[in-house]
C-alpha cells in the first residue's frame, strides 16, 4: 500500500488554544485508525504572534511534516497571511474571523490555485448551540471533521473526555461540535477535494499518541532513574513536566534547581552515591554544564545529560528546531576525557537510547550526552507500542582500588555503603587510590587508562543503520529527526537509501567506509549550518562530502526539502 | 564496634603551609565524627578547590573533590540519594561567596539536611593570595597593590539574613569547640552552616592566634544569650570589634527539604536502593 498523506493546519495566536485543538484533533484521528504526525510552530511569547499546529494524516506510519497543507484553518488575519502561501493546489481555507478580508493578491492566489475559501460563522453556531464564544474552536473542529467524512462520535468522545475535568458545560460543548459538523456551510464538493486515505483494517488498532520527550521520560523511568534535576529551558522542559506530573506514582524525586550548574552537580552527587539521576536541558544550559561534564570525565562518575536542541547560538530562535549542538556536545570541555554521544530520532529511539545511556554511563563510568531536537521533543507521533525495555546494566564490581589500572580501562566501582571500602572521586589527576598526583608517569598512566575506555566502548556499540533497498543509488547520511523525513520519502522512492547515525561518539566508520567505496551518490543531510556530523566523519575518515543538504532556518526537514533537492 | 578517631586517618601527608588552620579543622572533623560513632564509610564529604580541597585525600572517608564553587550542590545530590550518610560540604570563603554564591543561598532556603563548612581565611590562598569578599579593604593583595576597592560584605550577617536553621561560628585553633559545634550540626535535621575563622599565616598575617585569642568571645559565655532568637544573633554579628564563636542561631520548626517531599513521605527506602526496572504500563494508560 503506498503512503498517502493529507495535511490539516490550524493557525492562530499563541495562547488561543491552538495546542489543545491540535492535540484533540490528533488523538481523534488516531482513534479513527489513522497514523498522524503533529508538528507545532510557535513564537517565544505567551500571547499573540503566529502559532500553528499541523497534522499530517496518513494510512501508514509517518514521522515528518509536509511543507504544504490541504486544509488551512486560520483563526486570525496574521495566520492567514503567513500560511496562505503554504496551501496546496485545490486546497481549502477555513476562517471564522470577521476581521479577515482577503486582499486582491490573496484572492488571485486562491483562484489561480483552485483553493476554496470558506467563512464559517463559528461563534454564532457555538452560541446557538448553547455554548460560549470559546466553543467556536470545537465548532471548527466539527466542521473539518465533516469535510474529512469521519465518524463524529469519536471526535465528540475525545473532546468531552478532555473537558470533563474542566468546569465546562459538556452538553453545550457537544452541541457545538455537532453544530459545526452539521453546519449548512458544508458542501459535499469540499469532501471531494480532499482525498482522505483509505485505511486497511489492520491499522485500525489503537496506537499511542506520544511526543519524543514523553517517550524519553518513560524510558528514563523504566530504566530506574530515581531523581530528576532540572532548570526550565525549551524544548527540554516538558521532560521536567512529565516526570513532575507522574512523580506521585513513580516516587521519583523531582527538583527544579536554581540553575543548570546546580542541576548537573546534584546529579553528579547522586550518581556517585549510586542512584540514577537524570538531567535535561537545551543548548545554553548545556554549555553551563560543560565544566561539570569534564569533572564527570576525569573522576569517572556516571552522568547522563539530555540535550534537546533548538536553533542558534545564545538565545537564537528559542522555540524552533535544529540539530546544531553536536559540536558543543562533542568538543565542549577542557582537557581530553572519554565521553559518549547518542542521538534520538523518533519515539522508539527516545525510549530506548535513554536506557542505553544509563547503562553505558554506569558500565564505562563516563558522561553520556543524549541528543534530541525540538522537532522530536514536542511533536506528536503515533506508534503501535513502545519497544521492549533494555535490561539494567550497572557494571558494579567490588575492588580494593577505585581507579585500578586495567587493560580495558574500566576500574571497579561499587556503591558507597557502610560495609564497603571508602574511596574518593578526585577531579585532580590521581593515582589508583584516588590520591592527587602530578608526576609525569602517574599522569600518563591514569590518562591512558581512562582513554582506553573509548576503545572498549567503541567495540560495544553498533555501526550506523542502513535503511532502504540494497540497490538504491542515492544515499543520504545523517542523524536525528531528518531520518523520519527521508524514511517517509523512501516509502515511494526505492532509489533512495539512508545511513543513520544513532551512536555518534565514539564514531563507527566501517559501514560508512564501505558506502563510500561504492559508486553511489552520497549526500550529507543535517539540520545545522556547517554539517557537524560531516565534519566529524571527515576528521576520522578523511572523506569530504561532495554534496550537502543543510537546513538551519529553525524549521525541520519537510518532505519537499528532500524532494526539491533531488529535483523530484 | 566503636569508631576510633584514627579510622579517619589517611596515609597521605598534608600539604598545607606550616601553621595553617586546616590541620586543626581536620582534627575537629575527625573527632566529631568518631565521637558520634559515625564510621568513615557512613559519611560523605564534598570538597571545593582551594586549600580546603587539598585536604580531600588527607582524610579517609567517602569523598568527592569536584569543581571550584560547587561543593554544595554536589553534597546535596549525594545527600538526597542516600540519607543514611552524614553529608558535609567543605568550601572556602572564595568558592562560597564568589564562584558559587547561588548555591549557598538556595541550600539554606531549601534546608537540605547537610552541614556546610565555610573555611574563612579571608583570601584566595591556593592561588597565592588574591582578595575575596572577606579580605580587609585596602589591604594590598595579589595584583592589587592598593588593595580591594569594593565594599566589605559581612558574610555572617549575610548568612543570617537567609534564615538558616542552624548557624554557628568557630575558630580554627579551637578544635574542641569546633568538634562540639560539628556534632550538633550533624544531628540537626536541616541545613547547618558553620563559618570557621581560619588562620592563614602565609597570606593573612594580620589575623594571628594572639589577636584571635584576645578578640574572640564565646557565645556560651554571654549571659542570657538565646540561640533561638534572630534578634540576639543580629546583635552579636553587628559587633565587628569581636569575633563571637559558638552556635549563633538554630531552630527546628522548619522541615528539611526531603521531609517536605509529598511523594517520598511513605517511602522506606533511599533513592540508591530503588534502581531497578520500573513497569510503565500504568503510565501508558494516559496516552
Amino acid at each position: 500500500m503506498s503512503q498517502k498523506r493529507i495535511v490539516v493546519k490550524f493557525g492562530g495566536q499563541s495562547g488561543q488554544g491552538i495546542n489543545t485543538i491540535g492535540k484533540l484533533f490528533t488523538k481523534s484521528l488516531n482513534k479513527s485508525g489513522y497514523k498522524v504526525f503533529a508538528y507545532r510552530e510557535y513564537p517565544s511569547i505567551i500571547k499573540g504572534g503566529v502559532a500553528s499546529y499541523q497534522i499530517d494524516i496518513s494510512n501508514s506510519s509517518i514521522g515528518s511534516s509536509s511543507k504544504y497543507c490541504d486544509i488551512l484553518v486560520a483563526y486570525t488575519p496574521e495566520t492567514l497571511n503567513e500560511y496562505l502561501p503554504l496551501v496546496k493546489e485545490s486546497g481549502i481555507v477555513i476562517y471564522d474571523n470577521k476581521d479577515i478580508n482577503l486582499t486582491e493578491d490573496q484572492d488571485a492566489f486562491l483562484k489561480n490555485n483552485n483553493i476554496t475559501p470558506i467563512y464559517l460563522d463559528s461563534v454564532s453556531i457555538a452560541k446557538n448551540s448553547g455554548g460560549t464564544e470559546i466553543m467556536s474552536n470545537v465548532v471548527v473542529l466539527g466542521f473539518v471533521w465533516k469535510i474529512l467524512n469521519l465518524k463524529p462520535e469519536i471526535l465528540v468522545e475525545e473532546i468531552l473526555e478532555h473537558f470533563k475535568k474542566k468546569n465546562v458545560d459538556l452538553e453545550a460543548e457537544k452541541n457545538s461540535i455537532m453544530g459545526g459538523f452539521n453546519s449548512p456551510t458544508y458542501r459535499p464538493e469540499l469532501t471531494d477535494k480532499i482525498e482522505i486515505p483509505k485505511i486497511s483494517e489492520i491499522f485500525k488498532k489503537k496506537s499511542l499518541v506520544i511526543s519524543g520527550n514523553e517517550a524519553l521520560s518513560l524510558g528514563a523511568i523504566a530504566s530506574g532513574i530515581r531523581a530528576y534535576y532540572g532548570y526550565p529551558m525549551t524544548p527540554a522542559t516538558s521532560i521536567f513536566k512529565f516526570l513532575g506530573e507522574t512523580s506521585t506514582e513513580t516516587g521519583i524525586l523531582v527538583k527544579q534547581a536554581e540553575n543548570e550548574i546546580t542541576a548537573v552537580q546534584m546529579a553528579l552527587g547522586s550518581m556517585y552515591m549510586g542512584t540514577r539521576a537524570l538531567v535535561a536541558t537545551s543548548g545554553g544550559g548545556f554549555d553551563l554544564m560543560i565544566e561539570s561534564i569534564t569533572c564527570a570525565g576525569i573522576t569517572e562518575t556516571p552522568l547522563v545529560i539530555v540535550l534537546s536542541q533548538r536553533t542558534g547560538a545564545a538565545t537564537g530562535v528559542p522555540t524552533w528546531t535544529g540539530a546544531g549542538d553536536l559540536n558543543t556536545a562533542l568538543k565542549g570541555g577542557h582537557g581530553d576525557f572519554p565521553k559518549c554521544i547518542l542521538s534520538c530520532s523518533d519515539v522508539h529511539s527516545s525510549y530506548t537510547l535513554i536506557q542505553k545511556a544509563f547503562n553505558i554511563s554506569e558500565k564505562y563510568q563516563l558522561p553520556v550526552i543524549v541528543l534530541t531536537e525540538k522537532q522530536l521533543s514536542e511533536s506528536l507521533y503515533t506508534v503501535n507500542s513502545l519497544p521492549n525495555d533494555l535490561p539494567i546494566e550497572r557494571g558494579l564490581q567490588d575492588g580494593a582500588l577505585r581507579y585500578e589500572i586495567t587493560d580495558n580501562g574500566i576500574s571497579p566501582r561499587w556503591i558507597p555503603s557502610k560495609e564497603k571500602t571508602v574511596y574518593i572521586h578526585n577531579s585532580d589527576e590521581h593515582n589508583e587510590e584516588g590520591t592527587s598526583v602530578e608526576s609525569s608517569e602517574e599522569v600518563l598512566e591514569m590518562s591512558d587508562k581512562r582513554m582506553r575506555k573509548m576503545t572498549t566502548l567503541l567495540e560495544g556499540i553498533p555501526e550506523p543503520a542502513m535503511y532502504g533497498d540494497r540497490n538504491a543509488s542515492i544515499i543520504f547520511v545523517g542523524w536525528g529527526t531528518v531520518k523520519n523525513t527521508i524514511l517517509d520519502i523512501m516509502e515511494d522512492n526505492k532509489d533512495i537509501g539512508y545511513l543513520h547515525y544513532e551512536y555518534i561518539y565514539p564514531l563507527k566508520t566501517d559501514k560508512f567506509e564501505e558506502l563510500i567505496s561504492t559508486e553511489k551518490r552520497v549526500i550529507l543531510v543535517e539540520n545545522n549550518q556547517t554539517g557537524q556530523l560531516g565534519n566529524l566523519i571527515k576528521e576520522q575518515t578523511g572523506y569530504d562530502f561532495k554534496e550537502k543538504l543543510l537546513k538551519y532556518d529553525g524549521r525541520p526537514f519537510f518532505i519537499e526539502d528532500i524532494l526539491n533537492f533531488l529535483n523530484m | 564496634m566503636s569508631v576510633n578517631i584514627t579510622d579517619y586517618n589517611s596515609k597521605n601527608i598534608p600539604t598545607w603551609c606550616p601553621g595553617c588552620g586546616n590541620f586543626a579543622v581536620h582534627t575537629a572533623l575527625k573527632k566529631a565524627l568518631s565521637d558520634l560513632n559515625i564510621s568513615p564509610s557512613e559519611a560523605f564529604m564534598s570538597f571545593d578547590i582551594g586549600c580546603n580541597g587539598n585536604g580531600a585525600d588527607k582524610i579517609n572517608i567517602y569523598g568527592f573533590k569536584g569543581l571550584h564553587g560547587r561543593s554544595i550542590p554536589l553534597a546535596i545530590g549525594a545527600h538526597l540519594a542516600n540519607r543514611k550518610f552524614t553529608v558535609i560540604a567543605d568550601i572556602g570563603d572564595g568558592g562560597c561567596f564568589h564562584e558559587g554564591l547561588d548555591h549557598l543561598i538556595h541550600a539554606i532556603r531549601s534546608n537540605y539536611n547537610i552541614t556546610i563548612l565555610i573555611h574563612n581565611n579571608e583570601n584566595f590562598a591556593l592561588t597565592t593570595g588574591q582578595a575575596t569578599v572577606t579580605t580587609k579593604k585596602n589591604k594590598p593583595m595579589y595584583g592589587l597593590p592598593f588593595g580591594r576597592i569594593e565594599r566589605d560584605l559581612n558574610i555572617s550577617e549575610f548568612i543570617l539574613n537567609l534564615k538558616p536553621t542552624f548557624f554557628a561560628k568557630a575558630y580554627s585553633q579551637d578544635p574542641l569547640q569546633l568538634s562540639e559545634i560539628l556534632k550538633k550540626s550533624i544531628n540537626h535535621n536541616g541545613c547547618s552552616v558553620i563559618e570557621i575563622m581560619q588562620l592563614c599565616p602565609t597570606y593573612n598575617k594580620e589575623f594571628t592566634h594572639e589577636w584571635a585569642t584576645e578578640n574572640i568571645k564565646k557565645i556560651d559565655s554571654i549571659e542570657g544569650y538565646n540561640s533561638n532568637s534572630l534578634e540576639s544573633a543580629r546583635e552579636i554579628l553587628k559587633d565587628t570589634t569581636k569575633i563571637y564563636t559558638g552556635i549563633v542561631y538554630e531552630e527546628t520548626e522548619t522541615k528539611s527539604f526531603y521531609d517536605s517531599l509529598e511523594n517520598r513521605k511513605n517511602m522506606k527506602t533511599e533513592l540508591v536502593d530503588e534502581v531497578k526496572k520500573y513497569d510503565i504500563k500504568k503510565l501508558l494508560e494516559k496516552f
Side-chain angles (χ1 to χ4, degrees):
Chain A
M1 183 171 57
S2 104
Q3 189 182 79
K4 296 262 185 314
R5 72 164 79 198
I6 61 157
V7 181
V8 181
K9 193 177 192 96
F10 297 92
Q13 288 181 354
S14 239
Q16 205 178 16
I18 298 288
N19 206 12
T20 308
I21 293 168
K23 251 191 200 162
L24 291 172
F25 193 68
T26 303
K27 287 188 168 181
S28 306
L29 283 162
N30 174 51
K31 276 195 181 160
S32 306
Y34 290 94
K35 298 295 171 196
V36 287
F37 177 76
Y39 161 67
R40 284 173 71 198
E41 290 183 351
Y42 58 97
S44 184
I45 51 178
I46 310 292
K47 304 267 179 200
V50 173
S52 74
Y53 207 102
Q54 177 175 317
I55 300 112
D56 286 45
I57 309 161
S58 181
N59 52 347
S60 70
S61 281
I62 52 171
S64 65
S65 297
S66 169
K67 187 174 179 182
Y68 300 96
C69 61
D70 298 273
I71 299 176
L72 170 67
V73 178
Y75 288 102
T76 63
E78 293 79 13
T79 42
L80 187 81
N81 296 339
E82 177 88 13
Y83 294 121
L84 185 60
L86 299 180
V87 180
K88 276 187 212 167
E89 212 177 308
S90 300
I92 299 169
V93 174
I94 300 162
Y95 58 101
D96 66 346
N97 187 319
K98 285 202 177 81
D99 296 335
I100 290 180
N101 292 306
L102 295 169
T103 63
E104 248 172 61
D105 283 355
Q106 287 175 331
D107 247 339
F109 178 80
L110 294 174
K111 287 203 181 77
N112 293 341
N113 292 289
N114 185 30
I115 296 166
T116 313
I118 304 279
Y119 171 74
L120 181 73
D121 190 358
S122 60
V123 175
S124 299
I125 296 173
K127 285 185 175 161
N128 293 339
S129 309
T132 55
E133 197 170 325
I134 189 79
M135 288 184 192
S136 62
N137 278 343
V138 297
V139 171
V140 177
L141 280 187
F143 185 71
V144 175
W145 205 253
K146 176 74 178 179
I147 295 176
L148 297 179
N149 195 22
L150 297 169
K151 293 195 183 87
E153 297 78 14
I154 293 173
L155 181 69
V156 171
E157 188 190 76
E158 189 63 39
I159 295 176
L160 296 192
E161 178 66 30
H162 173 79
F163 285 109
K164 201 169 69 184
K165 292 154 253 165
K166 312 206 159 119
N167 186 25
V168 291
D169 180 349
L170 291 180
E171 195 56 30
E173 196 78 42
K174 181 182 170 183
N175 291 339
S176 296
I177 304 165
M178 292 313 293
F181 190 83
N182 295 321
S183 160
T185 309
Y186 173 76
R187 306 188 300 271
E189 55 264 36
L190 293 174
T191 300
D192 296 341
K193 288 189 102 178
I194 308 294
E195 201 187 326
I196 186 146
K198 294 222 165 13
I199 38 176
S200 71
E201 284 304 313
I202 48 164
F203 278 113
K204 286 202 170 172
K205 205 168 86 182
K206 181 183 181 285
S207 42
L208 303 167
V209 178
I210 187 168
S211 72
N213 274 359
E214 287 166 336
L216 188 144
S217 305
L218 285 164
I221 294 169
S223 77
I225 66 153
R226 301 311 296 154
Y228 175 82
Y229 303 117
Y231 184 85
M233 188 165 185
T234 305
T237 323
S238 51
I239 294 172
F240 170 47
K241 179 172 189 261
F242 186 85
L243 292 174
E245 286 176 355
T246 54
S247 64
T248 306
E249 290 108 297
T250 62
I252 289 174
L253 189 156
V254 178
K255 163 73 187 168
Q256 183 182 314
E258 61 265 23
N259 54 42
E260 286 90 348
I261 294 174
T262 307
V264 69
Q265 284 287 329
M266 286 176 169
L268 277 179
S270 290
M271 295 286 263
Y272 168 93
M273 285 307 257
T275 191
R276 284 186 162 187
L278 179 68
V279 173
T281 185
S282 189
F286 181 83
D287 286 351
L288 289 174
M289 294 182 183
I290 285 178
E291 191 191 11
S292 299
I293 294 174
T294 71
C295 183
I298 195 168
T299 61
E300 307 198 43
T301 310
L303 178 67
V304 176
I305 299 177
V306 174
L307 167 50
S308 179
Q309 302 162 97
R310 53 200 219 185
T311 294
T315 313
V317 201
T319 56
W320 296 76
T321 199
D325 294 349
L326 175 56
N327 277 352
T328 189
L330 197 61
K331 311 277 184 189
H334 56 287
D336 289 313
F337 60 93
K339 65 162 87 157
C340 174
I341 301 172
L342 310 177
S343 156
C344 306
S345 56
D346 55 16
V347 164
H348 279 211
S349 62
S350 299
Y351 186 74
T352 302
L353 285 182
I354 190 67
Q355 301 179 52
K356 192 76 194 171
F358 276 98
N359 286 351
I360 290 176
S361 161
E362 288 211 89
K363 265 172 71 180
Y364 299 90
Q365 305 169 31
L366 43 72
V368 181
I369 298 149
V370 180
L371 295 162
T372 180
E373 301 153 36
K374 183 255 174 184
Q375 171 71 355
L376 171 58
S377 288
E378 297 187 350
S379 295
L380 290 181
Y381 296 71
T382 45
V383 293
N384 289 333
S385 60
L386 292 174
N388 290 336
D389 292 349
L390 301 182
I392 291 181
E393 296 170 7
R394 308 197 66 188
L396 295 169
Q397 187 198 334
D398 285 344
L401 297 166
R402 171 64 187 92
Y403 293 117
E404 187 187 329
I405 304 291
T406 58
D407 288 342
N408 66 6
I410 301 170
S411 308
R413 179 179 75 96
W414 57 97
I415 291 177
S417 72
K418 192 180 174 184
E419 296 74 28
K420 300 210 163 146
T421 312
V422 303
Y423 58 83
I424 179 176
H425 274 199
N426 196 344
S427 69
D428 282 354
E429 191 54 279
H430 43 263
N431 62 16
E432 287 183 300
E433 291 175 327
T435 300
S436 302
V437 294
E438 292 178 354
S439 80
S440 163
E441 295 77 14
E442 286 170 306
V443 170
L444 289 179
E445 189 181 45
M446 194 53 66
S447 304
D448 290 343
K449 181 215 83 100
R450 257 194 318 270
M451 209 49 95
R452 281 202 290 280
K453 293 194 291 187
M454 288 309 273
T455 315
T456 312
L457 173 60
L458 188 65
E459 285 161 12
I461 60 173
E463 285 280 338
M466 181 64 97
Y467 292 89
D469 195 282
R470 128 196 319 269
N471 295 319
S473 70
I474 305 166
I475 312 293
F476 285 96
V477 178
W479 60 287
T481 60
V482 65
K483 175 182 96 174
N484 309 317
T485 316
I486 295 177
L487 293 191
D488 283 356
I489 288 168
M490 281 164 56
E491 285 272 323
D492 294 320
N493 294 282
K494 298 295 167 213
D495 201 31
I496 301 174
Y498 176 60
L499 186 70
H500 179 65
Y501 270 95
E502 192 160 77
Y503 291 77
I504 295 189
Y505 192 75
L507 188 80
K508 287 278 200 185
T509 52
D510 285 358
K511 226 173 196 169
F512 179 78
E513 300 267 17
E514 192 185 308
L515 169 66
I516 53 172
S517 71
T518 64
E519 295 296 303
K520 293 178 194 290
R521 182 180 170 195
V522 178
I523 306 164
L524 178 72
V525 58
E526 294 191 57
N527 219 172
N528 61 51
Q529 194 170 5
T530 52
Q532 300 182 2
L533 174 67
N535 292 336
L536 175 65
I537 291 175
K538 185 182 172 187
E539 191 181 296
Q540 303 218 354
T541 66
Y543 180 79
D544 214 345
F545 282 90
K546 285 157 207 78
E547 285 191 88
K548 295 176 185 176
L549 172 52
L550 304 174
K551 187 176 183 186
Y552 46 95
D553 60 354
R555 278 70 182 164
F557 276 100
F558 297 117
I559 296 285
E560 293 81 356
D561 294 321
I562 310 287
L563 295 175
N564 291 345
F565 183 82
L566 298 173
N567 295 316
M568 283 172 143
Chain B
M1 211 174 68
S2 75
V3 178
N4 197 304
I5 188 166
T6 55
D7 295 351
Y8 280 92
N9 286 352
S10 141
K11 62 179 183 188
N12 297 323
I13 295 163
T15 49
W16 298 305
C17 305
C20 175
N22 272 310
F23 292 99
V25 172
H26 264 230
T27 308
L29 249 173
K30 292 172 181 177
K31 178 168 165 41
L33 289 162
S34 51
D35 281 359
L36 291 173
N37 214 30
I38 296 166
S39 75
S41 58
E42 293 172 292
F44 169 87
M45 277 189 79
S46 65
F47 295 88
D48 218 71
I49 305 305
C51 291
N52 76 84
N54 275 5
D57 53 0
K58 313 300 185 305
I59 179 168
N60 184 47
I61 197 167
Y62 278 115
F64 198 138
K65 179 179 181 181
L67 299 176
H68 184 50
R70 315 298 171 205
S71 74
I72 294 172
L74 188 60
I76 295 165
H79 154 67
L80 294 175
N82 192 349
R83 289 170 307 140
K84 287 183 195 142
F85 275 71
T86 295
V87 172
I88 298 166
D90 215 37
I91 193 164
D93 53 309
C96 192
F97 285 89
H98 291 259
E99 192 81 34
L101 180 54
D102 40 358
H103 308 306
L104 178 75
I105 296 170
H106 290 274
I108 291 175
R109 68 174 268 271
S110 304
N111 202 28
Y112 303 103
N113 185 14
I114 63 168
T115 294
I116 300 172
L117 272 190
I118 304 171
H119 299 243
N120 182 7
N121 63 358
E122 302 187 327
N123 77 104
F124 286 107
L126 191 60
T127 45
T128 64
Q130 291 79 21
T132 64
V133 74
T134 54
T135 306
K136 297 280 174 293
K137 199 177 170 185
N138 302 329
K139 176 189 167 188
M141 296 297 285
Y142 185 111
L144 296 174
F146 308 106
R148 167 168 68 72
I149 55 171
E150 299 91 346
R151 282 183 292 172
D152 292 333
L153 179 72
N154 180 333
I155 64 168
S156 306
E157 278 188 330
F158 181 91
I159 293 166
L160 191 72
N161 279 336
L162 298 169
K163 294 191 189 149
T165 56
F166 184 103
F167 177 42
K169 287 189 71 163
Y171 170 48
S172 63
Q173 306 317 105
D174 189 350
L176 280 179
Q177 185 198 27
L178 175 57
S179 69
E180 289 309 308
I181 291 171
L182 272 164
K183 284 191 258 181
K184 289 197 174 107
S185 78
I186 289 166
N187 285 330
H188 173 74
N189 183 19
C191 186
S192 311
V193 182
I194 305 172
E195 180 195 345
I196 307 167
M197 297 306 301
Q198 187 167 315
L199 291 191
C200 178
T202 307
Y203 296 109
N204 194 13
K205 293 188 166 59
E206 294 77 5
F207 182 59
T208 60
H209 184 56
E210 291 66 35
W211 186 91
T213 315
E214 271 173 37
N215 291 283
I216 280 177
K217 191 170 165 73
K218 290 196 179 179
I219 293 172
D220 282 351
S221 68
I222 305 173
E223 209 166 318
Y225 187 82
N226 180 2
S227 67
N228 301 128
S229 153
L230 280 170
E231 287 310 308
S232 298
R234 280 196 193 105
E235 276 308 304
I236 59 163
L237 295 183
K238 244 184 244 157
D239 178 8
T240 48
T241 61
K242 285 206 162 25
I243 294 173
Y244 292 87
T245 60
I247 294 168
V248 178
Y249 179 72
E250 63 182 322
E251 60 106 332
T252 50
E253 300 278 293
T254 309
K255 272 202 217 172
S256 75
F257 175 85
Y258 195 102
D259 290 347
S260 310
L261 291 168
E262 273 301 317
N263 73 331
R264 301 290 308 170
K265 239 178 199 161
N266 301 315
M267 307 286 268
K268 299 269 184 290
T269 48
E270 298 297 315
L271 300 183
V272 290
D273 307 320
E274 299 165 7
V275 179
K276 54 179 192 295
K277 285 257 65 113
Y278 186 95
D279 190 356
I280 58 155
K281 220 178 281 156
K282 261 199 94 110
L283 294 174
L284 274 183
E285 284 168 11
K286 67 175 252 168
F287 289 96

